[in-house]
Amino acid sequence: MILSHQHVDEIRRIAAGHAPAAGTPDSLIHRSWHRCVNTHGLDPAQSFGPRVESPTRLRESRERIEEYLQVARGGMEQLFKRVSDLGYVLLLTDADGVTVDYIGNDSWGKDAQRAGLYLGANWKEEIAGTNGIGTCIYEQAALTCHRDDHFYTGNVGLSCNTAPLFHPDGKLMGVLDVSALAMPNARESQHLALHLTTLYGQMIEDANFVRHFRDHWILRLATSWALVDVLGDMMLAFDSDGVLAGASTGARKWLSGLALQGGDDAPIEGRHLTDVFRCSMDDIWRLARSSNVMDRALLSAFDHQSYFGSVVAPRMRSAASAAGPRDVTDAVPALAPASPALERLAGDDKQMRALQDQARRLANKRINILIQGETGTGKEVFAKALHESSTRHDKPFVAVNCASIPESLIESELFGYTAGTFTGARSRGMKGLIVQAHGGTLFLDEIGDMPLHLQTRLLRVLSEHEVLPLGADRPIRVELTVIAASHRDLRQLIAAGSFREDLYYRLCGATLPLPALRDRRDLGYLIELILREEAEHLDTRAYIADEALELLERYEWPGNVRQLRNVLRFGLALSDGEGIYPEHLPPEVTAPPVLLLLPPAPGAAPVVSVPQAPPVRSMTRPPEAERLLAALQEHRWNITAVAAQAGQNRTTIYRQMKRFGIVSPTQLPPEGERS
């Protein structure tokens, strides 16, 4: 160790802008010396005494980050087991440099306190000069401040290894410090200690990241297949729509140097996973749904690098860890266990993913649900998937189509009857569908078609939890959840006097609107899913040619998912296992765009309108439309190639073409027919 006056002279010389002597500390330490003298106004010749904050100030600091402290303490205890025999103590500070936690050997207690290595000590650089904690806060980088690196001569015996700890929002939370009162002169002796400090700092950050985003999906990324689950290099938190909610420190550094799809400087939060990776959300969800722990997707990012990925499903905080103050995320309702039946209903579609998320949250709540959507959108399929996602999945799911049962029978079918109630009745009576659904779910499809007098009886079932069969004098107790569905606007039926308003409010504890197929972005996923199902049912080959797939993706699907299933079933039946080609599709799908001759205005020439084929160019087309058009022309209107280049599915490209009025030249009518 150099003498005190030499140490002071060297600091003053560096602070004055002179070049450092050979063998002196690196520029990071020199920058701190320069700040201490020229910015903070400190004098290295003055004596140093640690500044200890009041118990009130310390308590306030700890309360602000209580949950974070719990996470960090676990990591500190593990780290201390590895360094305690080497003479180190551990400090954890807040973002202001105040020590809020400490682990050390009791035999070092008094010496450590005198050196400021204890609770309440403030190591802010403006107060304590160059030191591991204060300089780490300024530089926001891991570092070693070894002996003579310190600003004040009173601290030159210390060796400090520090790592910054960041909140999931990217802001500095504090510093992890591994310090010793006496260490060998060589800085190289601290390499292992610095490595351990950095490693455990990352482990603490990652654990806090998972805790903070416990109600989000988390994508872990690593360059090593075997370690992606335990030592992911990066983590991204995202919601059920694929929108990023946060990124770990490693991920933020990586993303800051990545040319994200879209090319703007927007923050990470709010961006979409498909802005980062050359894949669709279908690929992410397939990875999330996989039950095989050996499955690891190799995801290609827009930096042309590939990463192994695994997806962690949302998980809520357990009662055992709920000792600390609760924050707003604790109010998120508990989720029902993920059900394959519910998860498989959608691919990369924002509306459907939001509905799936709501369904999981509602599945175990004691409220009735109303599903609304056009005919054929899959209301019963969704209702059954919701049932299978609930704790009632092993109880009955009873479906009733109120529009298909004759009015004369619906009452007896629903409510049941006793023996001899009417001519033709069963000799032993019949248990109604409502009673059959006891303990499970009753699905009432097309509830808007239920006769008014039966609506009154159903209201009693919902309000009193009992049903009175026809001919009975005693009601039967029932406990069930009702899921109703309708393609009609029940509010309009209420206004028309054909639907009871009080029943409506009993049914719609929550309303889930199913989107029409023409409004969904996951058509490609649905085609693949339904094609496999129907091929298995028909014991044939599930294959569809690109030309046929293009026709399906262009079609508007007025009959929704039901029509899609029928078309694929039709195509498989005609193809005889050789694959579906355009000639195997029904005429309504393969018919060219209809040309409509509009009546001309007086004195004007006739005008031909092509509703599905807007003009290829527009004087006001936005830049993204021009980029799409250029890509289409570059690839000679090969939609598959354009989609692959953009990292999107073909359905998305078709939707964008429709939005911007871009039509392939092969879809336009002949030149002589356009005027």
Side-chain angles (χ1 to χ4, degrees), residues 290-527:
S290 174
S291 59
N292 186 354
V293 296
M294 301 301 288
D295 285 345
R296 298 291 183 271
L298 192 61
L299 302 175
S300 176
F302 282 100
D303 61 353
H304 305 292
Q305 298 295 317
S306 295
Y307 303 88
F308 291 101
S310 68
V311 176
V312 181
R315 62 182 181 84
M316 294 307 295
R317 177 177 167 174
S318 66
S321 64
R326 298 174 64 83
D327 58 29
V328 293
T329 56
D330 292 308
V332 177
L335 301 179
S339 163
L342 185 61
E343 292 300 315
R344 70 197 294 270
L345 293 183
D348 180 18
D349 181 77
K350 181 177 181 180
Q351 295 180 74
M352 285 299 297
R353 281 296 170 187
L355 281 177
Q356 287 172 316
D357 183 58
Q358 291 177 21
R360 288 191 305 113
R361 296 172 186 274
L362 294 170
N364 292 325
K365 302 299 184 295
R366 297 180 62 86
I367 61 174
N368 300 317
I369 296 172
L370 176 64
I371 301 176
Q372 295 211 271
E374 294 180 7
T375 299
T377 49
K379 296 185 286 294
E380 181 174 348
V381 174
F382 195 91
K384 191 166 186 178
L386 199 156
H387 168 81
E388 293 180 5
S389 298
S390 73
T391 54
R392 306 182 304 279
H393 61 86
D394 57 344
K395 298 297 190 297
F397 175 84
V398 179
V400 182
N401 190 314
C402 301
S404 64
I405 302 177
E407 186 172 338
S408 59
L409 295 179
I410 189 170
E411 184 171 18
S412 59
E413 290 284 330
L414 271 178
F415 299 95
Y417 55 84
T418 60
T421 300
F422 51 83
T423 302
R426 297 178 186 177
S427 59
R428 295 183 179 180
M430 188 186 77
K431 183 188 291 186
L433 295 172
I434 293 176
V435 175
Q436 292 179 38
H438 175 66
T441 300
L442 177 67
F443 175 62
L444 298 175
D445 199 6
E446 299 305 345
I447 187 68
D449 292 313
M450 178 177 283
L452 266 174
H453 73 282
L454 294 185
Q455 293 178 27
T456 304
R457 295 198 63 185
L458 177 61
L459 181 63
R460 179 176 177 82
V461 173
L462 299 180
S463 59
E464 304 298 332
H465 299 284
E466 60 183 30
V467 58
L468 185 66
L470 296 174
D473 53 9
R474 290 185 179 180
I476 300 173
R477 186 73 180 174
V478 290
E479 290 293 340
L480 47 77
T481 294
V482 174
I483 302 178
S486 179
H487 74 283
R488 306 168 70 181
D489 187 338
L490 296 185
R491 291 182 178 275
Q492 291 184 4
L493 298 182
I494 293 171
S498 59
F499 200 85
R500 292 185 61 111
E501 186 173 17
D502 47 3
L503 176 59
Y504 171 78
Y505 287 113
R506 281 284 181 182
L507 291 172
C508 67
T511 301
L512 301 179
L514 278 181
L517 184 54
R518 62 182 172 274
D519 296 327
R520 291 177 59 167
R521 293 183 55 196
D522 58 349
L523 180 58
Y525 168 83
L526 290 175
I527 292 173

Side-chain angles (χ1 to χ4, degrees), residues 75-114:
M76 291 174 66
E77 289 173 352
Q78 293 298 315
L79 175 56
F80 187 67
K81 292 177 183 178
R82 288 156 176 76
V83 299
S84 60
D85 293 341
L86 302 176
Y88 289 102
V89 299
L90 270 59
L91 306 179
L92 181 73
T93 78
D94 62 14
D96 294 324
V98 177
T99 307
V100 293
D101 203 357
Y102 165 86
I103 301 179
N105 192 309
D106 291 340
S107 63
W108 310 330
K110 291 183 179 179
D111 291 337
Q113 286 189 50
R114 281 193 292 268

Side-chain angles (χ1 to χ4, degrees), residues 223-253:
T223 53
S224 169
W225 174 88
L227 299 180
V228 65
D229 279 330
V230 291
L231 286 175
D233 301 321
M234 299 172 287
M235 290 190 291
L236 298 171
F238 61 98
D239 64 16
S240 58
D241 296 327
V243 177
L244 291 173
S248 65
T249 299
R252 285 182 183 275
K253 290 179 180 178

